[in-house]
């Protein structure tokens, strides 16, 4: 599933990290992500189902991956407030394991993609350093599948899109992005099933 969306993953994971960093309520943001994920799941199943085949197996959309990443960020923030670093480690590792176990789109790799951007916001790293970390993590976690690794490595171009659009007002586009994800899947499902 990941092959044709390599460019989108850096953009969306960066957006989720940015939202987590700048939000006034991480709890409310996480709840919105869960609602967005639940709404998007039915069209996601429809998009991935084979025509004439019954639904088999659990495969959750990338919104659930982002939801788990946000929970791990909440654990990290709590660990800082309470001076208990082990909470951050448990939160991040737990999110990665759950994303893999629940068969979330992009799995643990998706959690790491959000985290490299979130760390960049905390440390004020420039975008080229985030892109470099993206490439390192992609090669380290995708080396076993050379084709997928190459496709995901091309996704680094998504950071160019981020750089080119950073000056645009996020408030104007935020709701549109939440609507776009499930809506575009519904359109693709319609094309797939009625053609």
């Amino acid at each position: 599933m990941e092959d044709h969306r390599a460019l989108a993953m850096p953009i969306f994971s960066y957006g989720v990290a940015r939202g987590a960093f700048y939000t006034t309520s991480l709890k409310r943001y996480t709840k919105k992500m869960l609602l967005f994920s639940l709404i998007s799941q039915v069209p996601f199943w429809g998009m991935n189902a084979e025509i004439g085949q019954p639904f088999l197996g659990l495969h959750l959309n990338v919104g659930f991956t982002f939801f788990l990443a946000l929970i791990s960020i909440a654990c990290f923030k709590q660990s800082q407030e309470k001076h208990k670093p082990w909470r951050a480690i448990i939160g991040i590792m737990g999110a990665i394991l759950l994303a893999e176990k629940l068969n979330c789109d992009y799995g643990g790799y998706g959690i790491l993609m959000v985290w490299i951007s979130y760390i960049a916001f905390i440390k004020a790293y420039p975008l080229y350093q985030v892109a470099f970390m993206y490439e390192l993590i992609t090669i380290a976690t995708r080396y076993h599948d050379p084709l997928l690794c190459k496709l995901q490595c091309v996704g680094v171009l998504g950071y160019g899109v981020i750089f080119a659009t950073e000056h645009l007002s996020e408030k104007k586009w935020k709701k549109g992005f939440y609507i776009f994800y499930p809506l575009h899947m519904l359109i693709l499902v319609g094309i797939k099933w009625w053609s």
Side-chain angles (χ1 to χ4, degrees):
M1 266 319 290
E2 299 166 30
D3 53 352
H4 65 286
R5 297 172 289 133
L7 192 67
M9 187 57 183
I11 297 168
F12 283 117
S13 58
Y14 183 86
V16 169
R18 181 179 180 165
F21 186 76
Y22 288 112
T23 187
T24 54
S25 173
L26 184 58
K27 188 175 184 179
R28 188 170 57 237
Y29 183 48
T30 304
K31 285 180 182 178
K32 281 183 185 177
M33 186 61 73
L34 178 59
L35 179 62
F36 159 76
S37 305
L38 291 168
I39 290 168
S40 300
Q41 189 58 35
V42 172
F44 180 79
W45 276 332
M47 195 173 76
N48 291 300
E50 293 297 322
I51 296 173
Q53 296 293 318
F55 167 72
L56 296 171
L58 178 69
H59 188 190
L60 299 176
N61 70 71
V62 74
F64 287 101
T65 306
F66 294 149
F67 169 71
L68 291 171
L70 290 173
I71 289 174
S72 70
I73 288 170
C75 290
F76 169 75
K77 285 186 163 191
Q78 272 190 349
S79 75
Q80 285 188 314
E81 291 167 8
K82 299 186 179 190
H83 306 289
K84 295 182 178 177
W86 56 269
R87 285 189 181 188
I89 295 165
I90 290 171
I92 295 166
M93 293 307 296
I96 290 170
L97 292 173
L98 266 174
E100 291 292 329
K101 188 72 175 166
L102 295 174
N103 198 19
C104 295
D105 213 17
Y106 284 94
Y109 174 77
I111 304 289
L112 293 173
M113 292 300 98
V114 173
W115 266 98
I116 62 170
S117 293
Y118 189 73
I119 290 167
F121 280 110
I122 293 170
K123 301 286 188 184
Y125 291 149
L127 203 53
Y128 73 86
Q129 287 183 334
V130 180
F132 180 71
M133 288 188 287
Y134 168 85
E135 289 292 283
L136 287 179
I137 290 172
T138 299
I139 292 165
T141 61
R142 300 298 198 217
Y143 69 91
H144 60 278
D145 185 341
L147 178 60
L148 180 59
C149 186
K150 286 177 190 173
L151 289 167
Q152 284 298 150
C153 281
V154 171
V156 76
L157 297 174
Y159 291 104
V161 174
I162 293 165
F163 179 76
T165 59
E166 273 187 321
H167 66 283
L168 298 176
S169 171
E170 187 180 313
K171 288 184 179 182
K172 289 181 181 177
W173 302 102
K174 187 167 71 170
K175 289 183 182 171
F177 286 123
Y178 280 110
I179 294 167
F180 172 77
Y181 183 69
L183 184 63
H184 97 281
M185 285 190 295
L186 280 172
I187 292 167
L188 291 173
V189 168
I191 292 168
K192 176 180 178 177
W193 290 82
W194 284 290
S195 60

